[in-house]
Amino acid sequence: GESVGLHLPTLSVQEGDNSIINCAYSNSASDYFIWYKQESGKGPQFIIDIRSNMDKRQGQRVTVLLNKTVKHLSLQIAATQPGDSAVYFCAENRGSQGGSEKLVFGKGTKLTVNP
Amino acid sequence: NAGVTQTPKFRILKIGQSMTLQCTQDMNHNYMYWYRQDPGMGLKLIYYSVGAGITDKGEVPNGYNVSRSTTEDFPLRLELAAPSQTSVYFCASSSYNEQFFGPGTRLTVL
């Protein structure tokens, strides 16, 4: 069946390094994707989003890349800091209204930043 | 603004009991959502609402009911609790795209 999944369940990096978290999706009709950060014991927090008419979108220290040909999404975090340690989820919207009304989440990647 | 608030934070239920998880938002968002998150997994959508009086099923609605009588409140009802409903439940709201999540309710059914 169709699913949103991740290539790696865990990622460990050194403080100051760049981090790349990957996500594969299988629904070619999805047109809206979001990355969330979830710290232990808290609800998910929006990081950045991208629509299917874009290949790249940048935020503060974060960049999302979308490759529609291979149905792949990645989140790049520049100069990773200890406060970036969390579980990161990608999500795709499978609703028809173009917003985030029917998000399907991946399983998540746990990022650990070593000092 | 308090954002999205959920009560209770923790609850233990016996099999067959019922309960309501409360969710309130003060951001005047039209959209509200209920998710469950099982250990080591992503969130799964239970129900969502696009406005007062309108609700729709998500990915895993069985065993749950919702209502949306006001813009602010979106309670989730469990009628006959089962061990499979042991999970962390998150409520969220949005105006369109960015969803804001509550702190979650940890529910255990024994």
Side-chain angles (χ1 to χ4, degrees):
Chain A
E2 294 182 335
S3 64
V4 177
L6 295 167
H7 294 308
L8 294 173
T10 61
L11 178 64
S12 184
V13 300
Q14 292 298 122
E15 182 178 357
D17 287 352
N18 296 335
S19 303
I20 300 175
I21 300 171
N22 296 305
C23 178
Y25 66 96
S26 56
N27 187 349
S28 56
S30 294
D31 62 357
Y32 181 57
F33 304 87
I34 311 169
W35 281 100
Y36 284 93
K37 172 186 180 182
Q38 187 176 28
E39 296 174 298
S40 181
K42 296 183 178 180
Q45 180 182 6
F46 175 95
I47 301 174
I48 192 168
D49 60 359
I50 189 168
R51 293 209 171 269
S52 59
N53 60 353
M54 302 173 69
D55 297 322
K56 178 180 178 179
R57 190 156 189 237
Q58 288 184 290
Q60 187 176 11
R61 282 201 306 118
V62 295
T63 301
V64 56
L65 299 177
L66 176 62
N67 185 331
K68 296 178 285 295
T69 302
V70 295
K71 293 194 280 260
H72 184 268
L73 195 67
S74 68
L75 176 70
Q76 299 179 358
I77 305 174
T80 315
Q81 302 168 0
D84 295 326
S85 294
V87 177
Y88 290 81
F89 294 96
C90 65
E92 62 174 310
N93 186 49
R94 295 191 183 175
S96 59
Q97 299 183 27
S100 62
E101 69 275 10
K102 276 196 169 182
L103 292 182
V104 174
F105 283 75
K107 291 184 179 180
T109 292
K110 183 176 181 179
L111 175 66
T112 301
V113 181
N114 302 308
Chain B
N1 290 344
V4 179
T5 57
Q6 293 182 238
T7 57
K9 287 186 168 52
F10 303 94
R11 183 74 185 268
I12 298 175
L13 282 181
K14 294 183 179 179
I15 294 172
Q17 286 186 319
S18 61
M19 77 164 293
T20 300
L21 282 68
Q22 301 291 346
C23 176
T24 300
Q25 54 95 6
D26 62 0
M27 296 174 281
N28 201 32
H29 287 163
N30 285 327
Y31 293 78
M32 295 189 75
Y33 316 82
W34 273 107
Y35 295 91
R36 60 176 286 171
Q37 185 177 31
D38 297 330
M41 302 292 287
L43 282 72
K44 292 189 176 181
L45 183 64
I46 305 172
Y47 271 95
Y48 70 101
S49 169
V50 301
I54 306 169
T55 63
D56 206 349
K57 295 179 180 178
E59 190 180 356
V60 289
N62 291 344
Y64 307 94
N65 280 301
V66 293
S67 60
R68 185 92 182 273
S69 57
T70 66
T71 299
E72 295 78 19
D73 301 306
F74 190 40
L76 177 71
R77 179 82 177 163
L78 283 72
E79 290 295 348
L80 290 171
S84 61
Q85 293 178 305
T86 293
S87 192
V88 180
Y89 291 84
F90 289 100
C91 178
S93 72
S94 71
S95 56
Y96 188 57
N97 289 337
E98 181 178 349
Q99 293 189 18
F100 295 85
F101 285 81
T105 294
R106 185 174 295 275
L107 176 67
T108 303
V109 182
L110 302 174

